[in-house]
Amino acid sequence: MENIKNIWKPELYRIQLEAPVPKRLTCEDCQDRPLFYGKEYHGIMGHKEATLLLEDEPNGAFLIRKGNEYNDFYTLTWRFNNKVHHYKLYYDGTHYIKDKRYDSIYDLVADGLITCHMELKANHIMEMINSRANYTDSPYVTLNRRKINTLTKIHQASNRSSPITNKKEGKILEIESDIQKINFDITPTIEDSPLLYKYTKYHSFKVHTFKGLNWCELCANFLWGFTAQGVKCEDCGFIAHSKCSERVPNHCVPDLKKLRGVFGIDLTTLLNAHSSTLPFVVRKCVNEIETRGMDSEGIYRVSGFADEIEALKMAFDKDGEATDLSVYSNINVIAGTLKLYLRLLPVPLITYEVHPKLVNAIQAKTTAHQVTELREALDSLPPAHFNCLQYMVQHLHRIAQHADTNKMSAHNLSTVFAPTLVATPAALTDLAPEIRALQALLELCPRIYYGHQ
């Protein structure tokens, strides 16, 4: 379990980040502006005049106009891929061009620009998006394998001896006893397979607008766009692209919705849902390690037992904040679970945008300049990533201060954590620059975060 690589595919997310950003071209003195439009409305205007206005604007610039007074629609004109495009635009309480509905023009334009950008730059990925998807190797199964098996066994046990057909009191007690015996045994076995105990139940997929960043649990690719990015099963919570949902087996386990947990969830999305500034998995594991693992030789380098790491992962998913870490005597299990949590983040703590900035920062000639450059790079992180990375860097700095006993210097810790904390291309095998950048963060931690000289 600890050796699981990042199961999410970052390509579509990275391509979306490169999409043009909406830029409203305003008209200050427009007469008869509809109440549902703002200064982006330019009144009655033809194609040629609109094209001229946008000719020298950047991609993403847009305006709204009306071709003539007799039209029963408006026109959205924007610049994309260095060309000007025109679309019929309607309003009936929500803004729309085709099927998707939007509360604001900005959302419509932003989502439309992303869709056009993805079709232009990621068409080769989207055409193959679900052709190679394998359910048994999917993120859904990888993250929930043991839970699916356990819940399926319980379901089958209850179906084999239903209280509805066995009405005698003694028989009902026997059924309850059978189900209790199949408790949440969270020690996985190598032969575990969610298909072993498969029973047929159709998923109830419905088109869904997801908040934050989400990934398809079948093909592992990003759900792009701002609205109606994919579908979600109302019974078990399975998330997928619409096309991918057509390939998902009829293996809906409704009780799994209560146990989906926190592993493999985008950090910002998770913290917003929990109204928190730090994941409880990170906080609880760090506190436990600093209580009884600071002097443990090879901490974070020595692997914990895979079955115990899986057990702790499931305990976090099932019990959340109430998870008792004291029952895990091997501190390497807790360290391994923390590394697993960070490794399964769809967007690593050091994001794709900040990764090159950190690598460039350590090229500065003086330490003072390095500190300045590193601070500027870190300031580019989303708040959730900034706070969690700061917490982890300060923790690892304290670990490194015990290197005489735990043998984990800043360099050793950076070597272990670079593949986990830094967003790097899958094909990149030489992580020397990333290791040096992370080592600089650990060694310069007091100056970066506390302002010490």
Side-chain angles (χ1 to χ4, degrees):
M1 173 58 71
E2 186 182 351
N3 293 324
I4 288 180
K5 295 181 180 179
N6 194 335
I7 58 178
W8 307 108
K9 298 176 182 177
E11 289 83 5
L12 293 182
Y13 171 67
R14 298 175 71 176
I15 292 172
Q16 174 169 305
L17 291 175
E18 299 166 355
V21 177
K23 178 193 174 186
R24 186 173 64 160
L25 199 63
T26 60
C27 177
E28 297 294 337
D29 56 356
C30 178
Q31 302 297 319
D32 300 323
R33 178 181 291 122
L35 294 176
F36 42 84
Y37 292 137
K39 292 182 178 180
E40 68 276 357
Y41 184 73
H42 286 241
I44 295 177
M45 179 183 292
H47 278 43
K48 290 184 178 179
E49 186 179 354
T51 300
L52 285 173
L53 282 176
L54 291 170
E55 194 172 51
D56 296 324
E57 295 292 330
N59 287 324
F62 73 96
L63 59 84
I64 295 173
R65 59 188 178 83
K66 200 165 187 178
N68 63 66
E69 59 183 313
Y70 303 107
N71 286 348
D72 60 353
F73 59 87
Y74 298 89
T75 301
L76 169 66
T77 301
W78 72 26
R79 186 173 177 82
F80 174 78
N81 196 29
N82 298 320
K83 297 178 182 178
V84 175
H85 306 264
H86 311 273
Y87 303 91
K88 289 182 179 180
L89 180 65
Y90 301 90
Y91 180 80
D92 62 358
T94 57
H95 304 276
Y96 66 99
I97 290 177
K98 292 184 178 179
D99 297 328
K100 281 189 176 185
R101 304 299 181 109
Y102 303 86
D103 293 329
S104 73
I105 281 294
Y106 185 91
D107 288 346
L108 182 151
V109 174
D111 194 56
L113 288 170
I114 287 174
T115 300
C116 291
H117 183 75
M118 300 300 284
E119 290 173 353
L120 179 66
K121 300 294 185 179
N123 192 51
H124 62 293
I125 298 177
M126 294 193 291
E127 284 183 351
M128 301 185 299
I129 200 163
N130 67 345
S131 61
R132 300 176 183 174
N134 185 326
Y135 178 70
T136 56
D137 296 328
S138 68
Y140 175 81
V141 172
T142 301
L143 291 172
N144 301 298
R145 187 182 306 273
R146 189 58 185 170
K147 301 172 200 171
I148 295 171
N149 278 346
T150 302
L151 291 169
T152 306
K153 290 178 188 179
I154 292 174
H155 173 88
Q156 289 196 324
S158 63
N159 278 352
R160 280 196 298 268
S161 302
S162 172
I164 296 175
T165 57
N166 297 275
K167 296 183 179 179
K168 292 183 180 179
E169 183 177 354
K171 203 65 174 177
I172 293 174
L173 291 176
E174 180 181 335
I175 297 158
E176 291 175 350
S177 175
D178 285 344
I179 295 174
Q180 288 169 4
K181 288 176 184 175
I182 311 175
N183 57 15
F184 276 89
D185 173 12
I186 52 182
T187 303
T189 57
I190 294 175
E191 61 272 21
D192 272 350
S193 169
L195 303 181
L196 188 60
Y197 306 102
K198 184 172 74 172
Y199 65 96
T200 299
K201 182 188 182 307
Y202 291 98
H203 288 277
S204 179
F205 284 119
K206 294 289 188 296
V207 175
H208 191 81
T209 294
F210 297 93
K211 295 181 179 180
L213 306 178
N214 288 269
W215 271 252
C216 176
E217 293 181 327
L218 181 70
C219 75
N221 282 291
F222 180 61
L223 297 176
W224 66 89
F226 286 160
T227 63
Q229 304 98 321
V231 296
K232 184 176 183 178
C233 177
E234 294 183 329
D235 295 330
C236 72
F238 197 116
I239 295 171
H241 295 106
S242 295
K243 286 185 178 180
C244 289
S245 68
E246 299 170 3
R247 295 173 56 89
V248 176
N250 300 325
H251 185 210
C252 178
V253 185
D255 288 340
L256 183 61
K257 192 172 184 178
K258 305 170 187 175
L259 298 170
R260 295 303 292 272
V262 296
F263 284 74
I265 306 296
D266 173 66
L267 184 62
T268 301
T269 304
L270 177 73
L271 295 183
N272 285 340
H274 286 243
S275 299
S276 177
T277 57
L278 197 68
F280 63 80
V281 173
V282 173
R283 176 170 43 78
K284 288 180 72 73
C285 287
V286 165
N287 287 343
E288 196 71 19
I289 290 168
E290 295 202 356
T291 298
R292 56 186 175 98
M294 297 293 277
D295 293 328
S296 177
E297 185 171 337
I299 186 71
Y300 287 121
R301 178 179 55 78
V302 176
S303 299
F305 294 112
D307 57 346
E308 292 188 35
I309 291 174
E310 169 67 7
L312 179 52
K313 172 184 174 293
M314 183 164 175
F316 272 127
D317 282 342
K318 182 170 178 283
D319 300 326
E321 291 265 11
T323 303
D324 182 8
L325 301 190
S326 65
V327 300
Y328 299 89
S329 59
N330 186 346
I331 197 65
N332 295 315
V333 169
I334 296 170
T337 304
L338 175 56
K339 286 194 295 180
L340 178 65
Y341 172 80
L342 295 171
R343 188 177 306 120
L344 290 177
L345 288 175
V347 179
L349 278 189
I350 299 174
T351 62
Y352 301 99
E353 306 95 312
V354 174
H355 162 224
K357 295 179 182 178
L358 281 182
V359 172
N360 290 336
I362 61 171
Q363 309 302 321
K365 295 182 178 180
T366 67
T367 303
H369 281 133
Q370 283 187 9
V371 170
T372 300
E373 295 292 324
L374 288 170
R375 281 178 179 165
E376 289 181 2
L378 295 173
D379 283 341
S380 303
L381 287 169
H385 288 248
F386 181 93
N387 292 334
C388 191
L389 179 64
Q390 176 177 345
Y391 190 80
M392 281 301 304
V393 167
Q394 290 170 343
H395 163 62
L396 295 177
H397 173 74
R398 291 190 290 270
I399 292 283
Q401 289 180 314
H402 292 249
D404 288 345
T405 51
N406 63 33
K407 310 302 181 187
M408 294 303 290
S409 63
H411 175 76
N412 291 342
L413 288 166
S414 300
T415 302
V416 170
F417 273 94
T420 297
L421 297 183
V422 184
T424 54
L428 186 64
T429 56
D430 181 12
L431 296 181
E434 288 73 21
I435 291 171
R436 287 196 298 271
L438 189 53
Q439 182 176 345
L441 284 180
L442 300 189
E443 292 177 342
L444 299 173
C445 172
R447 297 180 63 174
I448 294 171
Y449 291 111
Y450 302 118
H452 296 172
Q453 297 301 315

